[in-house]
Amino acid sequence: MNADIESCCAPLYRRVMTGATLDDVLAPFCETLARMLDAPLVLVCRTLDSGVVHMRASSDENLLWADLQRLPERWDGTIAGAGPAARAIQRRGPVWLPIADDGFLPWRRAAESEGVSAAGAWPLPDGHLLQVYARHESLFGEPSRRRVVDDAAAELETLLESTGRLARHELLAHALEQHASPAFVTDVEGSIVWINPAFSRVYGYAAQEALGRNPRMIQSGDHGLRYYRELWDTIRSGRAWHGETLDRSHDGTVRTVWQTISPFGSDGRVTHYLAVHEDISELRRRQRERDLRLQQDPLTGLLTPEAFEQAIAASIGHGSAFALALLSLRGAGHLRRTVGSEAFEAALCEVCIRLRDVLGGQDACMPAPGEFQLMLRDRDEPDTTNSLPEKVTAALGRPFAGLGELDLQPRFGVARHPDDGASYLSLVKHADRQLACRPHPRARRQVRAIVGEP
């Protein structure tokens, strides 16, 4: 890269970073390049849908500039559509031509009056072009001089991309500032670096209280190790994570939110995470009321999650000894992606039928696809809990209609009441820790482009 080009562009980058618009820096760019090349005219243009090559910035307002204003170049094949800009667009690469070329006929007299002997055009992103009108054809013919213009075009391309990226980021930041739902950004270690006003309004933390802290300050404590392991493994791999979360505000209010966490960064590396929370507390309240009325899920034939929790609470209240088992089908996610939603739901219904046969009347529910909770009342019978994994694995290992044998990878965690916990939540957490005891490989921190895109 030419050092003079870099030094002339550095102040322009600084102006953009401190709030200058693209139009504020394009004219100085054209003026600087014209002086370096001793060129009568340098333009930055942009193609319009109407077919016109519109001048966005220029180094001077001379006779050639006025003639191009009067009869702009076009790229749609009309009489003014065979100039350097139109040819560069057609070729998708740099083009130069002497003013004696027939394509330059509409502006030849004005060009001659300004001492122009040749013109070149370089196509750039987003329909932009750099155009240089030179006194000598050698500007484009000699490799050393041509390299200066090539470097200038490359720097201009970077400048255009940088300002476009900043504009998109500013638009996104403004939208998140105005968003009615809480949103916050953390670094890769999980420290909060930005919150929007809705976060303060909903959770009760001012910016100075939240910045630098970990989002665990709003955790309700109701989620187990597997929940957070899946979350972190997903976002560290550069994929967005979506899930239902119970959060706690500064004043102790617990609310149910649908959380989306999106990783973003640059150069293929995750540098930050954006989280957006949508409050679904009222929706879940109505669903719980419906589940309690229904008692049984019509799709699965199992208890609804609310009815199952109620049954657990009743057994605890009676002082009964029982075991709560968590069954997780680790292969469920892959199956859904492979066979599609309709076939996946049919397979889940068959899983529930086989599970009911194995349990023989014991209570069970499916709080999430591929995740089951089982209450085993005959806790003191070794066959009830110890042989359950083997029986379930055998039942799920049989072929499924239309799908054959499925690699569902069933895993179990068991908690016993009252030894391992005295409440539904404590029992679930104990069983969840058993499921999470085998560490998963940490995901590499990679990112996909999401701008311009849990």
Side-chain angles (χ1 to χ4, degrees):
M1 179 64 67
N2 184 279
D4 292 335
I5 295 293
E6 287 185 323
S7 63
C8 86
C9 287
L12 302 183
Y13 284 119
R14 287 195 292 270
R15 289 184 61 186
V16 168
M17 295 300 294
T18 54
T21 67
L22 182 59
D23 289 326
D24 291 333
V25 299
L26 287 181
F29 175 88
C30 293
E31 293 165 4
T32 302
L33 185 58
R35 285 195 299 271
M36 290 180 61
L37 301 175
D38 188 28
L41 188 64
V42 172
L43 304 175
V44 174
C45 300
R46 190 175 188 181
T47 57
L48 303 181
D49 291 341
S50 62
V52 170
V53 179
H54 170 69
M55 275 193 279
R56 188 164 184 179
S58 66
S59 61
D60 196 3
E61 296 183 359
N62 52 27
L63 289 175
L64 179 55
W65 173 88
D67 223 27
L68 287 165
Q69 289 278 25
R70 177 185 60 80
L71 182 61
E73 268 203 80
R74 301 184 66 88
W75 55 273
D76 56 2
T78 60
I79 188 172
R87 295 189 188 184
I89 293 168
Q90 293 166 3
R91 181 177 173 181
R92 298 182 181 180
V95 166
W96 73 272
L97 63 154
I99 63 170
D101 188 280
D102 289 343
F104 210 83
L105 180 62
W107 312 281
R108 185 178 296 156
R109 181 173 298 179
E112 288 173 343
S113 68
E114 296 293 345
V116 172
S117 64
W122 281 253
L124 300 168
D126 198 24
H128 285 87
L129 296 113
L130 172 64
Q131 292 185 256
V132 177
Y133 297 85
R135 298 186 188 280
H136 307 288
E137 293 183 23
S138 60
L139 177 63
F140 307 116
E142 293 179 5
S144 58
R145 303 194 68 194
R146 167 67 179 270
R147 193 174 302 116
V148 175
V149 189
D150 289 338
D151 287 348
E155 282 292 325
L156 180 56
E157 180 173 345
T158 302
L159 184 63
L160 290 168
E161 291 175 343
S162 299
T163 53
R165 187 162 53 248
L166 283 171
R168 291 191 295 272
H169 288 176
E170 288 174 3
L171 180 62
L172 176 61
H174 181 71
L176 289 172
E177 284 281 350
Q178 304 301 316
H179 205 292
S181 298
F184 61 92
V185 173
T186 75
D187 60 21
V188 290
E189 302 303 326
S191 296
I192 296 174
V193 298
W194 174 87
I195 64 172
N196 71 348
F199 182 93
S200 297
R201 185 179 66 253
V202 171
Y203 290 111
Y205 290 92
Q208 59 268 29
E209 296 177 283
L211 298 183
R213 297 183 64 180
N214 191 286
R216 69 173 62 96
M217 70 184 185
I218 60 172
Q219 288 179 7
S220 65
D222 291 345
H223 298 288
L225 293 175
R226 288 189 305 135
Y227 177 89
Y228 292 108
R229 175 175 290 165
E230 179 192 353
L231 186 160
W232 278 103
D233 282 353
T234 301
I235 62 177
R236 280 180 174 139
S237 69
R239 294 175 289 128
W241 181 90
H242 313 271
E244 191 173 302
T245 304
L246 287 172
D247 282 338
R248 189 183 304 275
S249 298
H250 205 324
D251 63 3
T253 301
V254 176
R255 52 177 39 86
T256 307
V257 302
W258 182 258
Q259 181 175 205
T260 300
I261 304 178
S262 302
F264 65 97
S266 59
D267 299 325
R269 300 285 293 178
V270 172
T271 60
H272 293 86
Y273 303 113
L274 166 65
V276 179
H277 290 185
E278 180 186 357
D279 194 332
I280 58 171
S281 301
E282 181 60 22
L283 176 65
R284 284 293 171 258
R285 184 190 66 78
R286 294 196 299 268
Q287 184 175 354
R288 283 193 294 270
E289 291 177 352
R290 184 200 65 189
D291 286 351
L292 282 172
R293 289 195 303 270
L294 288 174
Q295 291 291 307
Q296 190 178 62
D297 188 324
L299 180 65
T300 65
L302 305 177
L303 291 181
T304 64
E306 291 300 320
F308 180 83
E309 185 175 346
Q310 194 176 59
I312 292 285
S315 293
I316 291 173
H318 294 145
S320 304
F322 64 90
L324 188 151
L326 299 187
L327 165 61
S328 176
L329 305 182
R330 289 197 60 196
H334 175 73
L335 175 64
R336 185 172 203 158
R337 291 189 295 271
T338 303
V339 304
S341 297
E342 187 174 341
F344 175 72
E345 289 179 4
L348 273 187
C349 289
E350 178 62 24
V351 166
C352 293
I353 292 171
R354 298 183 187 186
L355 193 57
R356 292 201 306 269
D357 290 343
V358 171
L359 292 174
Q362 303 273 29
D363 290 332
C365 73
M366 184 174 68
E371 298 286 329
F372 298 88
Q373 296 180 3
L374 323 173
M375 183 165 66
L376 310 175
R377 290 188 177 86
D378 300 325
R379 201 205 82 174
D380 294 328
E381 292 294 331
D383 184 62
T384 303
T385 53
N386 296 341
S387 65
L388 181 67
E390 182 180 342
K391 289 182 177 181
V392 171
T393 301
L396 300 184
R398 299 197 305 270
F400 285 71
L403 295 173
E405 294 185 1
L406 301 179
D407 184 21
L408 294 174
Q409 302 175 44
R411 296 196 309 156
F412 291 86
V414 178
R416 293 170 171 80
H417 175 266
D419 302 346
D420 299 325
S423 68
Y424 167 74
L425 184 58
S426 62
L427 291 169
V428 169
K429 284 188 172 181
H430 183 91
D432 185 84
R433 280 195 293 273
Q434 287 192 0
L435 279 173
C437 66
R438 285 184 292 176
H440 295 181
R442 290 175 64 88
R444 291 175 58 231
R445 289 178 178 158
Q446 296 179 325
V447 66
R448 299 173 181 174
I450 62 169
V451 176
E453 100 150 276

